[in-house]
Amino acid sequence: MIPARYAASRFPAKLMQDLSGKPVILRTYEAAIKTELFDEVFVVTDSSTIYDVISNAGGRAIMSIKEHDCGSDRIAEAVEDMNVDIIVNVQGDEPFTDRESLSSVLEVFKSDITEEIDLASLMVHITDLEEIENPNTVKVIVDKRNFALYFSRSPIPYPRATDTDVKYFKHKGIYAFRKRALMDFQKLPMLTLEATEKIEAIRYLEYGKKIKMVETTVSGIEIDTPEDLKRAQDAWK
Protein backbone atom coordinates (compact mmCIF):
# COMPACT_ATOMS: atom_id res chain seq x y z
CA MET A 1 0.00 0.00 0.00
CA ILE A 2 1.34 3.41 -1.02
CA PRO A 3 -0.51 6.25 0.74
CA ALA A 4 -0.51 9.31 -1.50
CA ARG A 5 -1.81 12.60 -0.16
CA TYR A 6 -1.82 15.41 -2.71
CA ALA A 7 -1.28 18.25 -0.24
CA ALA A 8 2.01 18.50 1.65
CA SER A 9 3.00 21.25 4.06
CA ARG A 10 6.68 21.39 3.11
CA PHE A 11 6.33 20.72 -0.62
CA PRO A 12 2.77 20.94 -2.06
CA ALA A 13 1.96 18.48 -4.86
CA LYS A 14 5.38 16.85 -4.49
CA LEU A 15 4.06 13.45 -5.61
CA MET A 16 3.08 14.92 -8.97
CA GLN A 17 6.47 16.51 -9.63
CA ASP A 18 8.36 15.27 -12.68
CA LEU A 19 11.06 12.68 -12.14
CA SER A 20 12.70 11.92 -15.47
CA GLY A 21 9.47 11.96 -17.46
CA LYS A 22 7.04 10.50 -14.91
CA PRO A 23 5.43 11.79 -11.69
CA VAL A 24 7.16 10.85 -8.43
CA ILE A 25 4.17 8.76 -7.29
CA LEU A 26 4.22 6.68 -10.49
CA ARG A 27 7.96 6.10 -10.14
CA THR A 28 7.36 4.89 -6.56
CA TYR A 29 4.52 2.59 -7.64
CA GLU A 30 6.67 1.09 -10.40
CA ALA A 31 9.54 0.56 -7.95
CA ALA A 32 7.26 -1.36 -5.57
CA ILE A 33 5.97 -3.53 -8.43
CA LYS A 34 9.50 -4.18 -9.63
CA THR A 35 10.52 -5.78 -6.31
CA GLU A 36 8.17 -8.72 -7.09
CA LEU A 37 7.61 -9.20 -3.35
CA PHE A 38 3.89 -8.52 -3.15
CA ASP A 39 0.65 -10.23 -4.12
CA GLU A 40 -0.90 -6.83 -4.85
CA VAL A 41 0.26 -3.20 -4.91
CA PHE A 42 -2.15 -0.25 -4.55
CA VAL A 43 -1.84 3.51 -4.35
CA VAL A 44 -4.31 4.83 -1.74
CA THR A 45 -5.08 8.49 -2.30
CA ASP A 46 -7.37 11.44 -1.60
CA SER A 47 -6.62 12.93 -5.02
CA SER A 48 -8.43 12.25 -8.28
CA THR A 49 -5.32 13.54 -10.06
CA ILE A 50 -3.10 10.90 -8.47
CA TYR A 51 -5.79 8.24 -8.90
CA ASP A 52 -5.98 8.98 -12.64
CA VAL A 53 -2.18 8.98 -13.09
CA ILE A 54 -1.88 5.49 -11.60
CA SER A 55 -4.98 4.10 -13.32
CA ASN A 56 -4.05 5.51 -16.72
CA ALA A 57 -0.64 3.84 -16.43
CA GLY A 58 -2.33 0.47 -15.85
CA GLY A 59 -1.81 0.51 -12.10
CA ARG A 60 -4.22 -0.08 -9.21
CA ALA A 61 -5.48 2.81 -7.11
CA ILE A 62 -8.03 3.26 -4.32
CA MET A 63 -9.79 6.53 -3.49
CA SER A 64 -10.06 7.23 0.23
CA ILE A 65 -13.60 7.78 1.47
CA LYS A 66 -12.74 9.68 4.66
CA GLU A 67 -10.28 12.44 5.43
CA HIS A 68 -7.10 11.14 7.08
CA ASP A 69 -4.28 12.78 9.01
CA CYS A 70 -1.67 10.08 8.32
CA GLY A 71 -0.78 7.23 6.02
CA SER A 72 -1.60 4.46 8.50
CA ASP A 73 -5.21 5.66 8.84
CA ARG A 74 -5.53 5.91 5.06
CA ILE A 75 -4.23 2.35 4.59
CA ALA A 76 -6.36 0.95 7.42
CA GLU A 77 -9.52 2.17 5.68
CA ALA A 78 -8.41 0.60 2.39
CA VAL A 79 -7.54 -2.86 3.78
CA GLU A 80 -10.31 -3.25 6.36
CA ASP A 81 -12.25 -5.77 4.27
CA MET A 82 -9.22 -7.39 2.61
CA ASN A 83 -8.13 -10.91 3.61
CA VAL A 84 -4.45 -10.15 4.27
CA ASP A 85 -1.92 -10.93 7.01
CA ILE A 86 0.92 -8.47 6.43
CA ILE A 87 0.56 -5.02 4.87
CA VAL A 88 3.59 -3.01 3.77
CA ASN A 89 3.42 0.78 3.71
CA VAL A 90 5.76 2.29 1.12
CA GLN A 91 5.87 6.09 1.27
CA GLY A 92 4.77 7.75 -1.95
CA ASP A 93 7.78 10.07 -1.95
CA GLU A 94 10.36 7.25 -2.08
CA PRO A 95 10.86 6.42 -5.77
CA PHE A 96 14.15 4.64 -5.00
CA THR A 97 12.39 1.93 -2.97
CA ASP A 98 14.40 -1.28 -3.40
CA ARG A 99 13.83 -5.03 -3.08
CA GLU A 100 16.65 -5.59 -0.57
CA SER A 101 15.21 -3.21 2.04
CA LEU A 102 11.62 -4.40 1.68
CA SER A 103 12.68 -8.05 1.81
CA SER A 104 14.61 -7.52 5.05
CA VAL A 105 11.54 -5.95 6.70
CA LEU A 106 9.31 -8.84 5.67
CA GLU A 107 11.86 -11.42 6.84
CA VAL A 108 11.42 -10.56 10.53
CA PHE A 109 7.87 -11.94 10.55
CA LYS A 110 8.98 -15.37 9.34
CA SER A 111 10.90 -16.05 12.58
CA ASP A 112 8.38 -14.33 14.87
CA ILE A 113 6.66 -17.53 16.03
CA THR A 114 5.00 -15.92 19.06
CA GLU A 115 3.84 -12.91 17.01
CA GLU A 116 5.61 -10.52 19.36
CA ILE A 117 6.23 -8.03 16.55
CA ASP A 118 3.34 -5.72 15.71
CA LEU A 119 5.17 -3.93 12.93
CA ALA A 120 8.65 -3.65 11.44
CA SER A 121 10.48 -0.74 9.88
CA LEU A 122 13.88 0.34 8.58
CA MET A 123 16.71 2.47 9.94
CA VAL A 124 19.90 3.76 8.31
CA HIS A 125 23.11 4.70 10.14
CA ILE A 126 23.86 8.39 9.57
CA THR A 127 27.01 10.34 10.40
CA ASP A 128 26.48 13.72 8.72
CA LEU A 129 25.90 16.33 11.47
CA GLU A 130 23.60 18.43 9.28
CA GLU A 131 21.38 15.42 8.63
CA ILE A 132 21.40 14.44 12.32
CA GLU A 133 20.24 17.93 13.29
CA ASN A 134 17.75 18.32 10.42
CA PRO A 135 14.15 18.17 11.76
CA ASN A 136 12.99 16.74 8.42
CA THR A 137 15.11 13.66 9.23
CA VAL A 138 13.32 11.44 11.75
CA LYS A 139 15.74 9.71 14.11
CA VAL A 140 15.13 6.50 16.06
CA ILE A 141 16.71 4.90 19.13
CA VAL A 142 16.39 1.17 19.84
CA ASP A 143 16.94 -1.33 22.63
CA LYS A 144 19.42 -4.23 22.55
CA ARG A 145 17.03 -6.33 20.44
CA ASN A 146 16.46 -3.51 17.95
CA PHE A 147 12.95 -2.73 19.14
CA ALA A 148 12.18 0.98 18.81
CA LEU A 149 12.27 3.02 22.01
CA TYR A 150 11.45 6.41 20.51
CA PHE A 151 11.37 8.45 17.31
CA SER A 152 12.18 12.16 17.14
CA ARG A 153 12.95 15.04 14.82
CA SER A 154 15.58 16.13 17.34
CA PRO A 155 18.98 14.44 17.59
CA ILE A 156 18.54 11.41 19.84
CA PRO A 157 20.35 10.52 21.96
CA TYR A 158 21.52 13.99 23.00
CA PRO A 159 25.38 13.93 22.95
CA ARG A 160 26.02 15.21 26.46
CA ALA A 161 29.01 12.89 26.79
CA THR A 162 31.46 13.33 23.92
CA ASP A 163 33.58 10.27 24.64
CA THR A 164 30.93 7.63 23.87
CA ASP A 165 30.68 5.71 20.63
CA VAL A 166 27.07 6.66 19.91
CA LYS A 167 25.46 5.86 16.57
CA TYR A 168 22.62 7.86 15.04
CA PHE A 169 19.95 6.19 12.96
CA LYS A 170 17.57 7.75 10.48
CA HIS A 171 14.11 6.22 10.31
CA LYS A 172 13.34 5.18 6.75
CA GLY A 173 9.59 5.47 6.22
CA ILE A 174 8.72 1.92 5.22
CA TYR A 175 6.52 -0.15 7.54
CA ALA A 176 5.28 -3.73 7.52
CA PHE A 177 2.22 -4.22 9.75
CA ARG A 178 0.29 -7.13 11.08
CA LYS A 179 -3.24 -6.29 10.02
CA ARG A 180 -4.57 -6.29 13.58
CA ALA A 181 -1.98 -3.67 14.66
CA LEU A 182 -2.99 -1.43 11.78
CA MET A 183 -6.70 -1.78 12.53
CA ASP A 184 -6.03 -1.00 16.20
CA PHE A 185 -4.12 2.12 15.18
CA GLN A 186 -7.02 3.80 13.42
CA LYS A 187 -9.24 3.45 16.51
CA LEU A 188 -6.71 5.00 18.90
CA PRO A 189 -6.72 8.78 19.40
CA MET A 190 -3.56 10.78 18.80
CA LEU A 191 -1.71 11.57 22.03
CA THR A 192 0.61 14.42 22.97
CA LEU A 193 3.94 13.00 21.83
CA GLU A 194 2.73 12.15 18.33
CA ALA A 195 0.97 15.50 18.04
CA THR A 196 4.13 17.34 19.08
CA GLU A 197 6.60 15.49 16.84
CA LYS A 198 4.21 14.85 13.93
CA ILE A 199 5.50 11.26 13.65
CA GLU A 200 2.78 8.63 13.36
CA ALA A 201 5.06 5.76 14.50
CA ILE A 202 5.03 7.29 17.98
CA ARG A 203 1.32 6.44 18.37
CA TYR A 204 2.16 2.73 18.16
CA LEU A 205 4.74 3.13 20.94
CA GLU A 206 2.45 5.22 23.12
CA TYR A 207 -0.12 2.42 23.07
CA GLY A 208 2.40 -0.36 23.73
CA LYS A 209 2.87 -1.78 20.24
CA LYS A 210 6.27 -3.32 19.46
CA ILE A 211 8.18 -2.03 16.43
CA LYS A 212 11.11 -4.12 15.23
CA MET A 213 13.72 -1.98 13.51
CA VAL A 214 15.91 -3.48 10.78
CA GLU A 215 19.16 -1.79 9.82
CA THR A 216 19.80 -1.24 6.14
CA THR A 217 22.60 0.43 4.23
CA VAL A 218 20.28 1.56 1.43
CA SER A 219 19.45 5.17 2.18
CA GLY A 220 17.56 6.23 -0.94
CA ILE A 221 16.14 9.73 -1.37
CA GLU A 222 12.92 10.83 0.31
CA ILE A 223 11.42 13.79 -1.52
CA ASP A 224 10.34 16.27 1.16
CA THR A 225 11.63 19.50 -0.38
CA PRO A 226 12.40 20.96 -3.84
CA GLU A 227 16.08 20.37 -3.03
CA ASP A 228 15.36 16.67 -2.49
CA LEU A 229 13.62 16.54 -5.86
CA LYS A 230 16.69 18.02 -7.54
CA ARG A 231 18.88 15.38 -5.86
CA ALA A 232 16.49 12.67 -6.99
CA GLN A 233 16.50 13.96 -10.58
CA ASP A 234 20.30 14.00 -10.60
CA ALA A 235 20.47 10.51 -9.09
CA TRP A 236 17.97 9.13 -11.59
CA LYS A 237 20.14 10.32 -14.46
Side-chain angles (χ1 to χ4, degrees):
M1 290 288 174
I2 306 172
R5 182 169 173 261
Y6 188 83
S9 57
R10 292 189 295 271
F11 189 4
K14 66 180 181 179
L15 299 184
M16 288 302 299
Q17 299 300 311
D18 180 78
L19 181 55
S20 196
K22 295 182 181 180
V24 168
I25 184 60
L26 182 55
R27 289 293 188 193
T28 302
Y29 179 82
E30 290 175 343
I33 292 285
K34 189 177 179 181
T35 66
E36 299 183 336
L37 290 171
F38 308 111
D39 295 323
E40 295 179 292
V41 178
F42 295 91
V43 169
V44 190
T45 183
D46 62 351
S47 164
S48 58
T49 301
I50 292 175
Y51 181 94
D52 290 343
V53 162
I54 299 300
S55 299
N56 292 340
R60 306 184 73 178
I62 299 172
M63 278 292 293
S64 296
I65 299 171
K66 304 174 184 177
E67 292 291 328
H68 298 290
D69 292 326
C70 68
S72 290
D73 285 334
R74 190 176 303 282
I75 292 172
E77 179 197 295
V79 303
E80 185 171 7
D81 296 324
M82 292 185 183
N83 182 23
V84 292
D85 298 314
I86 304 295
I87 300 112
V88 176
N89 173 354
V90 174
Q91 301 296 330
D93 59 4
E94 295 209 15
F96 294 90
T97 294
D98 65 291
R99 178 183 173 89
E100 178 187 342
S101 297
L102 291 173
S103 181
S104 64
V105 169
L106 290 169
E107 195 66 29
V108 303
F109 293 99
K110 295 179 181 179
S111 57
D112 184 30
I113 306 301
T114 61
E115 298 192 1
E116 177 186 21
I117 299 169
D118 295 298
L119 57 153
S121 193
L122 291 170
M123 60 182 184
V124 180
H125 179 215
I126 54 175
T127 57
D128 180 71
L129 183 60
E130 183 176 343
E131 186 171 24
I132 291 169
E133 294 180 343
N134 187 341
N136 290 329
T137 299
V138 174
K139 277 71 66 174
V140 60
I141 49 175
V142 297
D143 66 13
K144 293 179 72 68
R145 297 172 59 208
N146 278 354
F147 280 99
L149 294 172
Y150 192 63
F151 300 86
S152 183
R153 297 185 182 278
S154 296
I156 51 173
Y158 178 78
R160 181 175 181 181
T162 58
D163 58 347
T164 57
D165 185 23
V166 66
K167 294 179 73 174
Y168 289 89
F169 289 97
K170 170 185 176 179
H171 179 216
K172 189 171 169 64
I174 291 173
Y175 301 92
F177 312 90
R178 293 194 188 280
K179 183 178 178 181
R180 65 167 182 268
L182 185 60
M183 302 317 295
D184 286 346
F185 179 93
Q186 69 167 344
K187 300 172 187 175
L188 299 169
M190 183 186 300
L191 300 179
T192 305
L193 291 177
E194 179 192 0
T196 300
E197 295 264 18
K198 299 298 183 186
I199 301 171
E200 65 187 77
I202 293 176
R203 190 186 311 182
Y204 290 98
L205 297 182
E206 288 189 278
Y207 285 100
K209 301 295 185 184
K210 303 200 74 171
I211 306 176
K212 183 75 168 184
M213 300 302 299
V214 180
E215 185 174 355
T216 179
T217 57
V218 180
S219 183
I221 299 174
E222 300 167 23
I223 300 174
D224 284 321
T225 65
E227 292 75 24
D228 293 335
L229 178 62
K230 179 62 168 60
R231 288 196 300 123
Q233 290 168 337
D234 292 342
W236 202 275
K237 292 174 184 177

